[in-house]
């Protein structure tokens, strides 16, 4: 197709010299060959492209299209409107709601950019001049407040530019407002705010001013003071400022404290609702038409007055963590700090700032090199022994090479090469550790995803560390008793200092990934026995590992004294990362971990037992099993399909697929899991509850001892243990309540063993089936599930509903008799199974699994927990 | 209201089939999709776009719709479930499901999803995924009753700012 002469004649020139060609006829001609709805697309077109495409002149998708309603709204806006202070207050308040809603992860297009004053092309000369103006509310108060707000936002935006926070947080800025806000420097903004302060003070004390205007001036003064303090806080606590100015942290902390006090007082003095007066047309919900945007943005509700101030309070509270973060004096306390921080889920700005403070310009906490930090991290857990050897190698390479050493047991051909190899490993380990800290600053869903993703690299790191440990063991063994390679890979001899640390970190991440899953509501009730069971398994591995490390470390205590220069112990290094860590300190670090992991292991075990018992009592049911009663048609089919062993295995494989590919700990296979579960089959539900209760008691006891053991070596562990203890107590109370409910105590379902309960369930499932063949399959699945337990019962009661043909011969009558007898048996079994079903229905309670309901510190702590609902269950 | 037996399940054939379905989907959506989104699905995988139709007042009404796709998906992680040498999985994806409010509670959504799963299974799908809003308890209950599990949570997945669960079914 070509452009015809006629079309060429349609070329028009607009005022700017641009040439326009009307191609309507060409378009019509071209599309006439297409079918209705036919889509022309490149092969590379993706769903995302389709989703972000727009239909021109479709008002819901075409952001630039103006409807009559839009035109009416736009007409309400007048930039030259003379504003009263009550109107300025309304705009100021709404801007504050917009700002805090933005901080809470809303797009700027849905919040601040809605304000039409942001797109004013020419700022009146009277703004910032301090001279009397025709529109003082706008020029002396509102504009300075807007520029101060812009300065605050730019500080926040500078932090976001470090890209610690991902696009999903929706904090994008854009160039146009940056230009708008950059018209004035910080000092000019502060000066303008000073002028505004003077004007507002004058109004609030003048005699001839309306009382409500004076009230508005008073409130605006409060907003102004808070804005100035907020700007100072953001400036001083920015990473750039703290790097340049050593006093910035203290100044920022002081401003923050003052702001918190002022804001708290502000919150306690409510403002009357009718004081602020609305300004029509000032906020444009369709502001996106003014900005480039990939997809239409739907206006979202702003936080209310109360919500905004609560959120701001929370933001200030989170920012107060900057000071303790920079004051931390051990890697262990930092790990604790970031774990708790991650659980709190602060706003994206604070998470980004924490990530920047942790690592910027290849400096940890603005001071330390990642290499020295990682060495300290490993040293705090694995002890000083290997480091003393390494430092000796580095200090006395010549002596080592000639064998002329004070320490005869060390045989190293090339000590500097050994040190270099260790450094190489540490560089790699540092990358992993830095990543871990930065993961903790992500939102919870991303934390879990990245944790799972990075587990593989920790697994690889652990493997490299094992090789290093084996090599190190051989080269540092005594000359006359050189260690064999067999010995070097034997954990009974080789302490595996480096790999022990890597394994400890990996296990911690595995536990974390499981726990975040609970917090994110990823697991359904019926999966909980599996999750708690696997969790208990990992925690047990962790506990065993820590115990081994403790034994190794205790066994090595004092063995390397002659390697260390006495002064190196005494020298006070400038920074804590370089200071010596002795055995007793490491042992105390390990003891704290041991207590914590053991308590968690007890807790997970107890909840595994409870959830398993609840599942057996049908207080916890798989979605399809909830439909067990009155099954028919599709529902029955679904239930039958889902109850099979194969499907359980698939779900198990999907849930734990990351763990199953790790070299350690030994993955718990589905078969292994079923065997483990099978061990519970001979116990009744009441026995399981009693066992869980004792296990929760053990958790409390371990934590009590742990808190006593801490002494003054806290580092945040005390509150962590106390919170865990609270969860254990809350779960004990919930369990006692369940055990003591009269309906439950007298309920026969509690006395039924697991094998029998499973058999009953399979009988009922089979009885509901329309043909015998499928019933048999289901029963055999039950046998597999229980590892053979209860198979006699199941086999005897195997339902057979094949239609009995009518026979006239004796043989057939005999057969009929036998079949009748068998059916009698089946009916008996069915009747017992029905009684069991009815008993479980009559329990009259419901169990709610929750990661936070049981704990008052729900906002900053998550753990496995459950509550017993007060009201009888209405399900089934 | 028409009886259950009157529900007829059909597959996409032409553009006009799509229009009533779009209306139905847009009733439930917080954001409109452009027409290209629908066409992206139905032109490439017409067999995975199905409708539930029933007669009402002498006219055929679209009571429910499901729109899916199926593509290759490169595996990032060996899971021990599929063979390790299988580098690419066929991943089915349920993009949109909607049932007219007037006809809910009659198993139309469940039936459409079941049919889509079966079709994808026959087309060689290894797994099926979809996203559902964390607050959409009804949809979650339906998918979970069919064996889907919550694989991950997607932070602020929707334009409204709501989170989503990614649900997955391994076949």
């Amino acid at each position: 197709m070509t452009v015809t002469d006629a079309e060429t004649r349609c070329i028009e020139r607009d005022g700017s010299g641009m040439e326009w060609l009307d191609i309507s006829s060409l378009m019509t001609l071209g599309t006439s060959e297409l079918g209705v709805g036919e889509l022309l697309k490149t092969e590379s077109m993706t769903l995302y492209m389709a989703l972000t495409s727009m239909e021109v002149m479709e008002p819901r998708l075409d952001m630039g299209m103006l409807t009559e309603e839009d035109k009416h709204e736009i007409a309400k806006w007048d930039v030259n409107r003379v504003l009263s202070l009550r109107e300025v207050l309304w705009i100021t308040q709404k801007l504050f709601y917009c700002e805090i809603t933005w901080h809470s992860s809303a797009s700027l297009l849905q919040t601040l950019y809605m304000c039409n004053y942001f797109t004013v092309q020419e700022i009146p000369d009277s703004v910032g001049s301090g001279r009397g103006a025709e529109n003082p509310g706008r020029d002396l108060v509102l504009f300075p407040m807007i520029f101060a707000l812009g300065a605050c936002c730019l500080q926040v935006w500078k932090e976001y530019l470090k890209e610690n926070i991902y696009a999903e947080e929706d904090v994008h800025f854009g160039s146009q407002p940056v230009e708008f806000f950059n018209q004035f420097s910080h000092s000019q903004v502060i000066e303008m705010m000073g002028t505004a302060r003077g004007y507002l003070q004058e109004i609030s004390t003048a005699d001839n001013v309306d009382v409500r205007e004076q009230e508005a001036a008073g409130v605006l003064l409060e907003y102004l003071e808070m804005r100035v303090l907020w700007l100072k806080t953001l400036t001083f606590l920015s990473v750039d400022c703290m790097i340049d100015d050593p006093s910035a942290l203290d100044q920022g902390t002081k401003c923050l404290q003052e702001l918190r006090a002022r804001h708290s007082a502000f919150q306690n003095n409510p403002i009357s609702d009718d004081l602020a007066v609305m300004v029509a047309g000032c906020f444009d919900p369709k502001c996106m038409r003014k900005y480039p945007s990939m997809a239409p943005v739907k206006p979202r509700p702003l936080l209310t007055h109360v919500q905004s101030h609560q959120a701001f309070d929370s933001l200030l509270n989170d920012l107060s963590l900057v000071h303790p973060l920079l004051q931390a004096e051990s890697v262990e306390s930092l790990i604790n700090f970031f774990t708790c921080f991650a659980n709190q889920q602060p706003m994206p700005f604070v998470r980004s700032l924490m990530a920047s403070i942790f690592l910027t310009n290849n400096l940890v906490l603005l001071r330390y090199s990642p290499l020295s930090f990682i060495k300290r991290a490993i040293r705090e857990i694995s002890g000083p022994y290997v480091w003393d050897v390494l430092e000796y190698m580095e200090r006395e390479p010549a002596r080592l090479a000639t064998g002329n050493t004070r320490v005869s047991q060390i045989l190293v051909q090339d000590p500097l090469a050994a040190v270099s190899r260790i450094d190489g490993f540490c560089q790699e380990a540092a990358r992993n550790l830095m990543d871990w800290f930065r993961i903790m600053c992500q939102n919870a869903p991303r934390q879990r995803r990245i944790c799972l993703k990075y587990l593989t690299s920790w697994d690889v790191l652990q493997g490299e560390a094992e090789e290093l440990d084996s090599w190190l063991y051989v080269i540092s063994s005594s000359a006359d008793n050189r260690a064999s390679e067999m010995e070097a890979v034997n954990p009974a001899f080789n302490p595996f200092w480096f790999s022990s640390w890597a394994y400890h970190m990996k296990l911690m991440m595995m536990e974390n990934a499981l726990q975040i899953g609970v917090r994110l509501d990823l697991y359904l009730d019926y999966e909980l026995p599996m999750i708690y069971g696997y969790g208990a398994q990992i925690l047990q591995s962790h506990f065993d590992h820590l115990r081994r490390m403790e034994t190794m470390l205790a066994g090595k205590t004092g063995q390397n004294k002659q390697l260390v220069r006495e002064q190196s112990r005494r020298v006070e290094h400038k920074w804590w990362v370089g200071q010596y860590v002795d055995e007793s300190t490491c042992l105390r670090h390990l003891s704290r971990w041991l207590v914590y992991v053991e308590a968690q292991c007890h807790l997970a075990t107890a909840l595994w037992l409870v959830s398993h018992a609840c599942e057996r009592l049908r207080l916890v049911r798989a979605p399809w099993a909830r439909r067990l009663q009155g099954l028919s048609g599709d529902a029955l089919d679904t239930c039958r399909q889902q109850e099979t062993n194969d499907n359980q295995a698939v779900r198990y494989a999907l849930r734990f697929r990351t763990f199953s590919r790790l070299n350690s700990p030994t993955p718990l296979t589905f078969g292994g899991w079923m065997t483990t579960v099978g061990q519970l089959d001979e116990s009744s539900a009441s026995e399981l509850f009693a066992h869980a209760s004792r296990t929760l008691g053990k958790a409390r006891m371990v934590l009590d001892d742990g808190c006593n053991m801490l002494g003054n070596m806290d580092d945040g562990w005390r509150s962590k243990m106390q919170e865990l203890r609270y969860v254990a107590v809350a779960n004990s109370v919930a369990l006692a309540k369940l055990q003591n409910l009269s309906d439950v105590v007298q309920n026969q379902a509690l006395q039924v063993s697991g094998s029998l309960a499973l058999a009953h369930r399979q009988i009922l499932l089979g009885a509901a089936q329309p043909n015998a063949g499928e019933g048999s399959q289901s029963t055999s699945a039950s046998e597999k599930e229980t590892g053979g337990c209860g198979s006699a019962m199941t086999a005897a009661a195997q339902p057979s509903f094949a239609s009995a043909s009518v026979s006239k011969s004796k043989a057939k009558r005999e057969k009929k008799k036998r079949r009748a007898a068998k059916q009698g048996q089946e009916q008996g079994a069915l009747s017992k199974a029905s009684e069991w079903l009815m008993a479980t229905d009559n329990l009259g309670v419901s169990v709610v699994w929750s990661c936070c309901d049981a704990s008052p510190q729900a906002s900053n702590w998550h753990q496995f927990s459950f509550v017993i609902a007060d009201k009888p269950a209405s399900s089934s | 209201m028409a009886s259950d037996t009157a529900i007829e399940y059909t597959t996409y054939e032409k553009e006009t089939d799509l229009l009533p379905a779009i209306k139905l989907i847009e009733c439930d959506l917080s954001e409109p999709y452009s027409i290209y989104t629908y066409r992206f699905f139905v032109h490439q995988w017409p067999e995975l776009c199905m409708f539930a139709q029933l007669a009402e007042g002498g006219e055929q009404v679209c009571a429910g719709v499901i729109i899916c796709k199926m593509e290759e998906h490169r595996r990032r992680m060996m899971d021990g479930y599929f063979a390790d040498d299988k580098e690419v999985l066929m991943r089915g994806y349920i993009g949109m499901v909607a049932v007219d409010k007037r006809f809910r509670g009659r198993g139309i959504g469940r039936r459409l999803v079941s049919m889509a799963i079966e079709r994808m299974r026959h087309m060689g799908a290894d797994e099926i995924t979809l996203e559902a809003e964390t607050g959409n308890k009804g949809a979650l209950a339906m998918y979970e009753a069919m064996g889907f599990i919550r694989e991950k949570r997607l932070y602020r997945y929707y334009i409204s700012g709501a989170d989503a669960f990614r649900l997955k079914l391994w076949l």
Side-chain angles (χ1 to χ4, degrees):
Chain A
M1 274 175 274
T2 55
V3 180
T4 64
D5 290 343
E7 283 157 353
T8 312
R9 284 195 295 276
C10 294
I11 291 177
E12 290 176 7
R13 209 177 286 268
D14 67 11
S16 63
M18 187 80 78
E19 288 184 346
W20 295 92
L21 172 65
D22 183 350
I23 58 162
S24 304
S25 56
L26 180 65
M27 187 77 173
T28 309
L29 181 65
T31 53
S32 65
E33 293 173 19
L34 295 173
V36 177
E38 192 174 336
L39 180 68
L40 292 180
K41 69 169 195 66
T42 59
E43 281 197 13
S44 59
M45 182 180 171
T46 61
L47 177 58
Y48 180 75
M49 290 175 186
L51 282 166
T52 51
S53 64
M54 60 170 262
E55 286 175 58
V56 178
M57 299 308 284
E58 158 58 76
R60 294 173 306 168
L61 293 161
D62 186 349
M63 289 175 288
M65 183 181 167
L66 282 179
T67 62
E68 287 304 314
E69 193 187 342
D70 294 334
K71 287 175 187 167
H72 182 68
E73 280 300 310
I74 289 169
K76 291 178 185 171
W77 161 243
D78 177 13
V79 68
N80 293 318
R81 175 190 176 124
V82 176
L83 297 173
S84 69
L85 289 181
R86 293 174 69 186
E87 288 174 324
V88 173
L89 176 61
W90 183 82
I91 297 169
T92 306
Q93 283 182 326
K94 189 145 182 183
L95 280 171
F96 180 73
Y97 310 153
C98 284
E99 182 187 11
I100 303 301
T101 309
W102 173 55
H103 275 295
S104 315
S105 274
S107 153
L108 279 161
L109 289 171
Q110 294 167 311
T111 54
L112 285 166
Y113 288 2
M114 289 195 296
C115 181
N116 279 323
Y117 283 101
F118 281 14
T119 44
V120 171
Q121 294 297 319
E122 289 183 16
I123 305 299
D125 291 340
S126 50
V127 172
S129 67
R131 295 192 301 273
E134 291 175 2
N135 197 348
R138 185 193 67 176
D139 297 348
L140 294 186
V141 184
L142 181 62
F143 269 121
M145 293 281 257
I146 285 177
F147 284 117
L149 163 68
C152 293
C153 291
L154 282 178
Q155 281 299 128
V156 174
W157 182 240
K158 270 187 201 165
E159 177 49 52
Y160 284 142
L161 283 178
K162 299 185 194 306
E163 296 186 348
N164 294 319
I165 298 299
Y166 288 80
E168 66 210 17
E169 308 273 12
D170 261 349
V171 289
H172 296 289
F173 219 75
S175 59
Q176 188 178 348
V178 175
E179 288 164 17
F180 178 80
F181 293 135
N182 272 335
Q183 294 177 77
F184 299 99
S185 66
H186 270 206
S187 56
Q188 283 174 314
V189 170
I190 297 286
E191 195 183 323
M192 276 195 268
M193 293 294 266
T195 309
R197 184 186 290 115
Y199 174 75
L200 289 169
Q201 281 170 344
E202 191 183 313
I203 293 290
S204 58
T205 54
D207 295 332
N208 56 346
V209 177
D210 176 68
V211 178
R212 302 306 310 267
E213 281 287 289
Q214 284 187 321
E215 271 182 59
V219 179
L220 279 167
L221 262 173
E222 280 304 311
Y223 270 109
L224 184 146
E225 299 301 350
M226 288 192 291
R227 175 62 64 194
V228 171
L229 282 170
W230 181 225
L231 180 56
K232 286 182 179 174
T233 304
L234 289 170
T235 308
F236 284 128
L237 294 185
S238 68
V239 169
D240 294 344
C241 191
M242 285 194 285
I243 288 174
D244 292 342
D245 178 5
S247 70
L249 175 64
D250 289 338
Q251 290 188 70
T253 306
K254 198 176 158 192
C255 288
L256 181 62
Q257 282 169 350
E258 198 182 330
L259 176 56
R260 289 185 74 183
R262 195 174 269 275
H263 183 248
S264 180
F266 183 82
Q267 279 183 296
N268 293 332
N269 286 317
I271 306 160
S272 59
D273 290 341
D274 61 346
L275 184 61
V277 175
M278 193 183 92
V279 181
C282 182
F283 287 83
D284 177 9
K286 291 190 175 179
C287 64
M288 63 280 286
R289 71 168 72 89
K290 302 172 198 163
Y291 302 95
S293 171
M294 290 187 72
V297 180
K298 187 189 175 194
R300 60 172 276 179
L302 297 177
L303 295 179
T304 62
H305 180 85
V306 174
Q307 287 169 338
S308 302
H309 283 283
Q310 282 173 347
F312 187 55
D313 197 47
S314 167
L315 179 61
L316 298 181
N317 188 40
D318 292 337
L319 266 183
S320 66
L321 293 171
V322 170
H323 194 266
L325 170 63
L326 283 164
Q327 299 301 313
E329 291 208 333
S330 72
V331 177
E332 282 291 288
S333 63
L334 280 169
I335 287 176
N336 237 341
F337 179 94
F338 273 93
T339 311
C340 295
F341 179 75
N343 292 339
Q344 287 172 19
Q345 279 300 292
M347 288 183 184
F349 166 63
V350 183
R351 285 189 274 123
S352 177
L353 182 62
M354 290 296 185
S356 296
I357 290 173
F358 181 75
L359 187 69
T360 288
N361 299 341
N362 210 28
L363 285 179
V364 176
L365 300 180
L366 316 179
R367 294 188 192 107
Y368 318 118
S369 75
L371 195 60
S372 59
F373 187 80
I374 187 73
K375 286 181 178 175
R376 168 76 188 211
I378 300 173
R379 192 187 292 243
E380 279 183 19
I381 282 293
S382 63
Y385 182 81
V386 70
W387 298 100
D388 291 343
V389 172
L390 290 169
E391 277 161 22
Y392 186 74
M393 286 180 182
E394 206 165 12
R395 201 171 65 239
E396 311 276 2
R399 287 189 181 204
L400 283 168
T402 57
N404 181 22
T405 67
R406 282 190 297 137
V407 191
S408 60
Q409 75 263 33
I410 293 185
L411 176 74
V412 183
Q413 296 300 324
D414 188 354
L416 289 180
V419 171
S420 165
R421 182 168 172 178
I422 303 288
D423 276 358
F425 168 78
C426 287
Q427 296 278 9
E428 185 66 30
R431 272 192 288 276
N432 279 27
L433 189 63
M434 299 299 113
D435 285 338
W436 182 84
F437 279 104
R438 292 164 71 84
I439 290 170
M440 293 294 107
C441 296
Q442 298 301 324
N443 60 58
R446 190 172 279 277
Q447 272 175 41
R448 180 178 173 274
R449 285 207 299 278
I450 310 182
C451 245
L452 288 171
K453 188 177 156 193
Y454 280 28
L455 271 177
T456 315
S457 63
W458 278 92
D459 201 44
V460 172
L461 185 77
Q462 188 193 338
E464 289 170 9
E466 278 166 16
E467 282 180 24
L468 181 68
D469 282 323
S470 302
W471 174 77
L472 204 59
Y473 186 78
V474 172
I475 66 154
S476 61
S477 58
S478 65
D480 51 350
N481 187 22
R482 186 73 182 259
S484 68
E485 285 187 11
M486 289 290 284
E487 209 175 275
V489 294
N490 188 342
F493 298 104
N494 189 345
F496 286 101
W497 302 115
F498 289 101
S499 50
S500 290
W501 168 80
Y503 188 36
H504 161 66
M505 289 297 294
K506 188 175 77 176
L507 287 164
M508 188 179 77
M509 288 174 76
M510 290 171 77
E511 291 153 15
N512 200 22
L514 276 182
Q515 288 184 343
I516 300 175
V518 175
R519 184 147 58 101
L520 294 178
D521 204 16
L522 281 179
Y523 313 126
L524 295 184
D525 289 358
Y526 79 98
E527 292 181 279
L528 290 177
M530 191 167 83
I531 299 294
Y532 292 140
Y534 209 115
Q537 178 94 355
I538 294 171
L539 286 159
Q540 184 63 51
S541 299
H542 199 171
F543 178 78
D544 294 342
H545 175 63
L546 290 166
R547 181 67 87 199
R548 181 188 160 276
M549 285 172 77
E550 187 186 46
T551 309
M552 280 290 174
L553 186 58
K556 291 283 179 187
T557 300
Q559 285 192 15
N560 53 356
K561 270 185 183 166
Q562 66 262 55
L563 300 181
V564 187
R565 283 186 300 196
E566 276 307 305
Q567 61 268 35
S568 75
R569 289 177 187 267
R570 289 197 301 270
V571 165
E572 282 297 316
H573 285 257
K574 188 179 176 188
W575 307 118
W576 59 266
V577 286
Q579 285 169 7
Y580 192 81
V581 184
D582 60 23
E583 288 98 341
S584 63
T585 308
C586 296
L587 283 168
R588 273 186 289 172
H589 283 309
L590 282 174
S591 301
R592 295 188 305 198
W593 273 108
L594 273 164
V595 167
Y596 192 64
V597 170
E598 186 182 6
Q600 280 189 305
C601 187
H602 286 318
L603 195 59
T605 306
L607 292 182
W608 170 46
L609 296 172
V610 174
S611 56
H612 180 81
C614 286
E615 204 267 340
R616 192 188 293 172
L617 294 171
R618 298 173 67 247
L619 291 170
V620 167
R621 275 179 278 178
W624 50 90
R626 291 197 189 110
R627 302 163 62 88
L628 187 64
Q629 285 180 310
L631 288 176
S632 66
D634 283 352
L636 174 62
D637 287 341
T638 308
C639 184
R640 236 180 9 232
Q641 285 160 13
Q642 301 298 342
E643 283 283 303
T644 66
N645 209 27
D646 284 350
N647 279 2
Q648 281 195 52
V650 172
R651 284 190 291 276
Y652 187 92
L654 209 164
R655 194 53 93 190
F656 300 117
R657 65 188 192 277
T658 313
F659 298 165
S660 71
R661 308 302 289 182
L662 300 176
N663 289 309
S664 61
T666 308
L668 181 61
T669 61
F670 181 67
W673 162 246
M674 295 309 280
T675 307
T676 309
V677 172
Q679 291 166 5
L680 304 181
D681 278 346
E682 293 316 307
S683 306
S684 66
S686 61
E687 286 168 340
L688 293 178
F689 284 150
H691 192 177
S693 180
R694 287 193 295 274
T695 312
L696 286 171
K698 280 185 201 167
R700 292 199 307 270
M701 205 165 65
V702 166
L703 288 164
D704 285 340
D705 291 347
C707 284
N708 293 335
M709 174 202 79
L710 281 175
N712 59 357
M713 198 174 163
D714 189 338
D715 288 349
W717 281 86
R718 188 178 301 281
S719 62
K720 200 169 164 175
M721 287 188 190
Q722 281 170 344
E723 284 168 1
L724 192 58
R725 189 184 185 283
Y726 187 91
V727 175
V729 170
N731 283 338
S732 298
V733 170
L735 182 56
K737 194 175 165 186
L738 180 61
Q739 287 176 293
N740 293 331
L741 283 172
S742 58
D743 284 352
V744 175
V745 171
Q746 292 163 14
N747 195 293
Q748 57 166 323
L750 252 78
Q751 310 312 324
V752 171
S753 75
S755 321
L756 208 52
L758 257 175
H760 285 329
R761 189 156 71 182
Q762 293 304 334
I763 290 164
L764 290 163
L765 193 62
Q769 291 173 27
N771 63 64
E774 287 166 343
S776 303
Q777 280 174 13
S778 180
T779 308
S780 60
S782 160
E783 285 171 5
K784 269 164 81 181
E785 278 180 37
T786 55
C789 297
S791 56
M793 169 72 193
T794 314
Q798 205 169 83
S800 173
F801 291 100
S803 59
S805 59
V806 179
S807 169
K808 293 177 184 173
S809 70
K810 191 179 174 183
K812 284 190 176 176
R813 279 200 299 275
E814 285 296 318
K815 195 175 176 183
K816 197 174 174 183
K817 269 186 187 173
R818 284 201 300 274
R819 181 169 294 167
K822 193 178 174 188
Q823 278 183 346
Q825 277 183 329
E826 287 164 2
Q827 285 302 325
L830 189 60
S831 160
K832 281 183 184 172
S834 299
E835 280 174 27
W836 167 79
L837 184 70
M838 204 178 294
T840 59
D841 282 343
N842 290 338
L843 276 166
V845 290
S846 60
V847 179
V848 179
W849 298 89
S850 162
C851 63
C852 57
D853 284 0
S855 167
Q857 293 93 358
S859 61
N860 59 13
W861 188 247
H862 66 94
Q863 271 301 334
F864 305 142
S865 58
F866 69 99
V867 290
I868 306 301
D870 290 330
K871 291 176 186 173
S874 58
S875 60
S876 81
Chain B
M1 192 182 285
S3 69
D4 283 358
T5 51
I7 301 171
E8 186 189 353
Y9 292 90
T10 59
T11 304
Y12 172 86
E13 286 178 3
K14 55 190 181 304
E15 176 81 0
T16 48
D17 294 343
L18 198 55
L19 300 177
I22 292 176
K23 275 188 188 169
L24 194 57
I25 290 167
E26 289 193 348
C27 285
D28 289 336
L29 284 179
S30 54
E31 296 298 319
Y33 289 128
S34 78
I35 186 72
Y36 308 112
T37 306
Y38 297 100
R39 286 178 184 157
F40 174 83
F41 280 100
V42 300
H43 282 260
Q44 297 186 85
W45 300 277
E47 65 276 46
L48 295 181
C49 173
M50 286 166 273
F51 310 97
Q53 316 256 17
L54 50 76
E56 191 187 46
E59 285 184 16
Q60 280 294 99
V61 177
C62 181
V65 58
I66 187 164
I67 297 178
C68 315
K69 71 181 178 101
M70 200 171 89
E71 286 177 302
E72 289 186 346
H73 178 76
R74 184 162 290 279
R75 289 173 80 187
R76 290 185 191 154
M77 184 198 301
M78 294 302 117
D79 40 51
Y81 180 67
F82 298 108
D84 280 1
D85 58 357
K86 192 176 169 108
E87 290 181 356
V88 172
L89 294 182
M90 286 307 291
R91 173 180 281 187
Y93 176 74
I94 300 177
M96 304 172 207
V97 183
V99 176
D100 190 320
K101 281 192 175 69
R102 294 172 299 161
F103 307 116
R104 285 184 189 170
R106 295 164 66 171
I108 294 175
R110 177 183 297 272
R111 181 76 190 275
L112 284 167
V113 174
S114 298
M115 285 166 61
I117 291 173
E118 276 317 300
R119 284 206 183 166
M120 287 191 261
R121 195 196 298 268
H122 285 129
M123 289 163 72
D126 297 301
E127 62 182 22
I128 297 172
T129 66
L130 62 100
E131 286 91 27
E133 200 169 317
T134 50
N136 191 349
K137 305 290 179 200
L140 290 172
M142 181 185 79
Y143 292 121
E144 284 155 4
M146 301 178 97
F148 282 85
I149 76 163
R150 299 175 186 183
E151 191 198 18
K152 55 177 84 162
R153 189 172 176 130
L154 305 168
Y155 184 69
R156 295 180 54 77
Y157 181 77
Y158 296 104
I159 294 176
S160 64
D163 287 1
F165 284 123
R166 161 118 359 115
L167 303 178
K168 184 177 271 189
L169 178 71
W170 269 355
L171 298 172

